[in-house]
Amino acid sequence: MTRRKPPRPAGVAIAGTGMAVPDKLVTNDDLAQLVDTDDEWIVQRTGIRTRYLADNGVKTSDLAAKATRQALDNAGLQPEDLDLLICATMTPDVICPATSCRVVRKIGAIPCGAFDINIACTGFVAALGMASNAVESGQYRHVALLGADCLSTIVNWEDRRTCILFGDAASCAILSPCDDENRGSLYQALGSDAERGEALFVPRDESDIPPCVDASTTEKPGWNGMYNTLQMDGRTVYKFAVNILAESVEKAMDACDMTADDIKMVIPHQSNIRMLQSSWKRLGFPEDKISVNIDRFGNTSAASAGICLHECITQGAVAPGDHLIFVAQGGGLSWGANLWRL
Ligand SMILES: CC(C)(COP(=O)(O)OP(=O)(O)OC[C@H]1O[C@@H](n2cnc3c(N)ncnc32)[C@H](O)[C@@H]1OP(=O)(O)O)[C@@H](O)C(=O)NCCC(=O)NCCS
């Protein structure tokens, strides 16, 4: 007898969310003790006022496990209820085993399925798509998706162009099947362009440095003089991000025949407040429809959109039935969007 495919659920619901940051709060004034910068420059150029940084051996998987436990609590589920856990990270604890496997162990969910994805700051949006497709297929019931990064472990703390931007954090959402066919992902898209990959990259050694990066001088954008740390051409990334954010949101709304009036909240990756403001101005979106928390957390890479989601839900800014657009961009260069009915 042939096995029948499991029934597909009518819809997919976000059953619970969670987030975690390390204990150490770092202000712009604190960073001014390390590099030649000041609070005014950082706030004006980025909108960042504080960020949390991991120390004392805190790993990406520690933050990820904490966020997952909170999401499970909020969903009213136990660790053993999870069928799959997907962790988006570019700062895994170690190369192998995957951070997702470590999270499964830390929360007591063995033998839950687990895998990592690495698509930098686009991670949460990419994982959201993978997780919702997994639930929608009927093959997995409860799926945890995470964005978790400790970028503090891969920045050069002498490079003021990059070290002021990032914070460490994790966020988690649990997706579960539901009876309402209108709930879940209505549109999802991912894109990448490695032709511009070296605008934001982490080279291991000199063989990874392409001709477009001038490694003879740290005055040039894209090289800070240290391997295994984040190299960034800030202006190139900035221009790319403003355009791709607006374009991705427009495409999502067009595909679903919606306008800004139909969207309750845009949940963007938090990279720079000026970038976000330029994109929304171009789209004609009112600012109160854009979730922003970069002032408190900095750019938390794969975690940031999930933190916004968690705050929007727990603060009652969004409710079942609302349409949300998740949108993100980052290293790769990569980007992604997901129009979701809560
Ligand atoms: C990084 C970023 C804030 C820099 O802002 P900018 O307006 O482009 O600034 P520039 O790089 O042109 O630098 C302007 C000046 O400020 C200086 N500067 C750079 N970082 C500084 C800092 N932390 N404090 C003070 N001065 C700084 C530069 O050295 C430069 O000085 P100069 O004019 O004497 O050469 C901005 O480019 C950005 O946000 N880019 C996107 C980065 C990003 O989001 N990355 C992650 C994507 S997921």
Side-chain angles (χ1 to χ4, degrees), residues 28-98:
N28 293 340
D29 288 338
D30 293 332
L31 290 182
Q33 309 287 317
L34 287 180
V35 288
D36 182 14
T37 191
D38 57 67
D39 179 60
E40 192 186 348
W41 192 97
I42 299 175
V43 172
Q44 275 185 4
R45 304 276 177 137
T46 70
I48 301 168
R49 292 180 186 277
T50 59
R51 76 284 291 143
Y52 294 84
L53 299 180
D55 62 2
N56 297 326
V58 172
K59 303 272 189 191
T60 299
S61 67
D62 294 319
L63 298 177
K66 199 169 169 191
T68 310
R69 283 190 210 101
Q70 189 184 37
L72 282 167
D73 278 352
N74 287 336
L77 294 170
Q78 300 300 317
E80 54 270 28
D81 294 325
L82 286 179
D83 299 314
L84 184 62
L85 185 146
I86 303 170
C87 184
T89 184
M90 64 183 283
T91 50
D93 296 5
V94 291
I95 290 173
C96 185

Side-chain angles (χ1 to χ4, degrees), residues 22 52 54 59-60 63-64 87-92 118 120-121 123 147-154 167-171 299-303:
Y52 294 84
K59 303 272 189 191
T60 299
L63 298 177
C87 184
T89 184
M90 64 183 283
T91 50
N118 173 358
C121 300
D149 266 315
C150 289
L151 255 65
S152 63
T153 58
I154 57 159
D168 301 332
S171 59
N299 177 346
T300 57
S301 188

Side-chain angles (χ1 to χ4, degrees), residues 57-216:
V58 172
K59 303 272 189 191
T60 299
S61 67
D62 294 319
L63 298 177
K66 199 169 169 191
T68 310
R69 283 190 210 101
Q70 189 184 37
L72 282 167
D73 278 352
N74 287 336
L77 294 170
Q78 300 300 317
E80 54 270 28
D81 294 325
L82 286 179
D83 299 314
L84 184 62
L85 185 146
I86 303 170
C87 184
T89 184
M90 64 183 283
T91 50
D93 296 5
V94 291
I95 290 173
C96 185
T99 300
S100 52
C101 296
R102 286 192 157 186
V103 176
V104 165
R105 183 185 68 188
K106 285 182 180 178
I107 64 169
I110 290 174
C112 175
F115 63 91
D116 287 5
I117 56 175
N118 173 358
I119 194 63
C121 300
T122 308
F124 189 87
V125 173
L128 179 65
M130 299 304 105
S132 75
N133 294 344
V135 175
E136 216 170 298
S137 72
Q139 303 281 354
Y140 303 89
R141 263 181 77 70
H142 303 297
V143 178
L145 72 108
L146 291 111
D149 266 315
C150 289
L151 255 65
S152 63
T153 58
I154 57 159
V155 294
N156 176 348
W157 284 101
E158 291 178 2
D159 179 12
R160 67 177 181 173
R161 296 169 300 179
T162 52
C163 74
I164 53 122
L165 296 173
F166 302 102
D168 301 332
S171 59
C172 176
I174 312 280
L175 303 190
S176 301
C178 71
D179 294 334
D180 183 345
E181 63 183 1
N182 295 314
R183 296 182 78 179
S185 182
L186 305 180
Y187 165 90
Q188 45 179 290
L190 292 172
S192 77
D193 175 8
E195 292 290 347
R196 292 179 283 175
E198 283 77 24
L200 192 65
F201 78 127
V202 183
R204 284 180 195 255
D205 58 41
E206 66 186 74
S207 66
D208 295 322
I209 307 279
C212 64
V213 175
D214 185 352
S216 66

Side-chain angles (χ1 to χ4, degrees), residues 225-246:
M226 200 189 261
Y227 296 111
N228 295 303
T229 63
L230 192 76
Q231 311 293 330
M232 188 181 74
D233 176 350
R235 285 192 182 180
T236 299
V237 176
Y238 189 100
K239 275 189 229 147
F240 152 73
V242 169
N243 290 328
I244 208 72
L245 283 175

